[in-house]
Each structure stands twice: as structure tokens, then as C-alpha cells.
Amino acid sequence: MASNAATRTILKAWSGGGITAADAVMPDVTMELFFTQDVQRGFINTAKAFDADIEPPEMTFEGK
């Protein structure tokens, strides 16, 4: 599921049942996003920046 689809799913849950409903679907909807190349690259670049005690670079999203 792409990030746009995840966002739509969470908003749909929220509109039908409020924050409690959105919170309930959040783990299932977002977990697979953590395995995308974009997120993995972002985590790695941020960790390297923290190790070097510098500001993390802007994240680049390629939709992968």
C-alpha cells in the first residue's frame, strides 16, 4: 500500500469513527511502509547524520 493509500485509509477510518478508529487501523495500514526503499534510505541517512552530529538531510521520496 502506498503512502497516499495509507493516508486515505486512515482518514476514512477517522471520519467514520474518530481518533479511536484511526488509531485502531494505524499499525496495520502503516507497517508495510517501513519496508519501502524510501523509508529505509531515510532511516539510514538520518542515523548517519546523528552519528556525525550534523543536521539530517532532507528526505527524498521516489515512491518506492
Side-chain angles (χ1 to χ4, degrees), residues 28-50:
D28 291 333
V29 171
T30 61
M31 187 53 63
E32 69 184 61
L33 296 174
F34 287 93
F35 300 107
T36 64
Q37 291 176 16
D38 286 335
V39 171
Q40 293 294 315
R41 186 177 52 257
F43 284 154
I44 290 168
N45 290 338
T46 299
K48 287 179 182 177
F50 286 148

Side-chain angles (χ1 to χ4, degrees), residues 10-24:
I10 293 166
L11 287 173
K12 186 173 183 177
W14 170 79
S15 70
I19 293 172
T20 302
D23 284 348

